[in-house]
Amino acid sequence: MRAWQVTAVGEPEEVLRLVDVPEAVAGDGEVVVEVAAAALGFPDLLTCQGLYHDKKPVPYVPGGELAGTVAGTGRRVIVNPGGAGALCERTAVREDALLPIPDDLPDAKAAALFVAYQTSYMALFRRARLVDGETLLVHAAAGGVGSAAVQLGRAAGARVIATAGGPEKARVCRDLGADAVIDYRSDDFVAAVKDLTDGRGADVIYDPVGGDVFDKSRKCVAVEGRILVVGFASGRIPEMKVNHALLKNYSVVGFRTRPFRDDPVYRREVHDDLLRMYARGAIDPLVHEVPFAEAPAALARLGARGTTGRTVVRVR
């Protein structure tokens, strides 16, 4: 079967190779899934470049989420394939990791529902305790996890302020339902957030960027606000003097999905709630689809900030 493999640490278009690999074979407690669509995220790019905190020995198949059907059954599922990777035609995964998807949810959107939406759901509601009526500031809001955070914030009754780079991405954020959009290329988001909140600041700040964005976010978080540390797409892990949190009475809240996804009961509860939100139209994954042959270029575009929503590779 065909699979994309990262053959060395480096840039995607230089180290990704389309190869023939042995057919996927299910072990004990596993099933073979025929992959229909695989979603890519910034961690896939960083892992390829050797910059992610989880290192993988090469060669490996990238991709941390997929939608497909259980071989021989036609049962549609999404799953995090773990070390098996998603950019392949078939893969063997643990049966207890499978999550069902309804017939009216297209493969591409289903593939985007797992990492981006579960990440944003767990971060906003489990860690930051976002509630109706609060103000949520979402950075990189036109991206995969950012677009999910905008929709989930709106579904929770929050007032959502989005930041994005450039007029096109700003338009995407407005289409997603953001109440206010700040183009950080032309405007200072700190001043804009303070103006939009009458000087109070944002109750919850969703930050998958880190670096300078985190540093500036501390200047516009509300008293008793929460800054969610979701990732470091900027490439710089920020540092801070904690006396600032004391003086302003806010929290810096770390978030990583893995501990929560290791709880199968909670993982299924989140999934079922997301499906209910989709059914009533509260969320609708924003995806950018590319053919299987263009996977390396698609991964490279993530690094160039040239995408909106979740990048999804059509496998079949």
Side-chain angles (χ1 to χ4, degrees):
M1 66 176 189
R2 296 182 306 159
W4 282 103
Q5 279 190 342
V6 175
T7 57
V9 172
E11 296 303 321
E13 292 178 292
E14 298 174 359
V15 301
L16 267 170
R17 298 286 184 271
L18 186 59
V19 298
D20 286 320
V21 297
E23 188 63 51
V25 177
D28 290 341
E30 294 183 331
V31 296
V32 172
V33 173
E34 298 175 348
V35 182
L40 299 175
F42 213 81
D44 295 306
L45 173 65
L46 294 178
T47 304
C48 183
Q49 296 169 328
L51 301 176
Y52 200 55
H53 49 258
D54 286 338
K55 310 296 182 184
K56 290 188 177 182
V58 295
Y60 70 90
V61 176
E65 56 184 326
L66 63 87
T69 57
V70 178
T73 71
R75 178 161 56 110
R76 299 179 69 234
V77 295
I78 60 173
V79 65
N80 178 340
L87 283 181
C88 53
E89 293 180 314
R90 287 168 292 280
T91 188
V93 298
R94 289 195 55 81
E95 187 166 16
D96 58 11
L98 301 177
L99 294 171
I101 52 178
D103 291 339
D104 64 345
L105 183 57
D107 290 324
K109 292 188 177 185
L113 191 68
F114 188 77
V115 170
Y117 280 83
Q118 287 211 358
T119 293
S120 295
Y121 184 106
M122 294 173 182
L124 291 174
F125 305 139
R126 175 78 175 249
R127 296 291 288 139
R129 306 292 183 184
L130 178 71
V131 297
D132 183 11
E134 289 192 309
T135 296
L136 167 66
L137 172 62
V138 180
H139 290 303
V145 294
S147 60
V150 169
Q151 292 183 347
L152 289 168
R154 289 283 293 167
R159 181 192 185 196
V160 179
I161 303 172
T163 71
E168 176 58 26
K169 289 189 176 183
R171 181 193 62 77
V172 168
C173 294
R174 284 189 286 271
D175 291 344
L176 288 167
D179 296 283
V181 181
I182 304 165
D183 182 346
Y184 63 76
R185 291 181 180 175
S186 57
D187 297 311
D188 175 10
F189 76 78
V190 174
V193 169
K194 289 183 176 180
D195 183 59
L196 288 165
T197 59
D198 296 325
R200 183 175 180 276
D203 298 292
V204 174
I205 300 179
Y206 185 96
D207 179 18
V209 181
D212 293 345
V213 168
F214 175 85
D215 294 339
K216 294 176 67 176
S217 291
R218 294 191 295 116
K219 300 177 181 179
C220 61
V221 63
V223 172
E224 295 191 275
R226 291 85 76 199
I227 302 176
L228 274 164
V229 178
V230 182
F232 310 106
S234 69
R236 179 172 73 85
I237 298 174
E239 298 179 354
M240 63 171 287
K241 294 182 177 180
V242 295
N243 67 313
H244 189 258
L246 180 151
L247 293 171
K248 204 172 177 182
N249 224 32
Y250 65 85
S251 302
V252 176
V253 183
F255 175 74
R256 192 182 186 200
T257 56
R258 182 168 296 173
F260 302 114
R261 292 207 185 115
D262 288 342
D263 179 347
V265 174
Y266 180 61
R267 183 182 65 216
R268 182 58 187 268
E269 288 175 356
V270 171
H271 178 67
D272 289 345
D273 200 17
L274 289 171
L275 290 184
R276 286 190 290 268
M277 289 182 183
Y278 177 78
R280 68 173 188 263
I283 63 172
D284 186 15
L286 174 66
V287 299
H288 172 67
E289 293 187 65
V290 299
F292 193 56
E294 295 181 13
L299 200 53
R301 281 197 295 272
L302 285 172
R305 309 299 195 270
T307 62
T308 57
R310 198 72 167 165
T311 297
V312 176
V313 177
R314 295 190 302 272
V315 180
R316 63 169 174 82

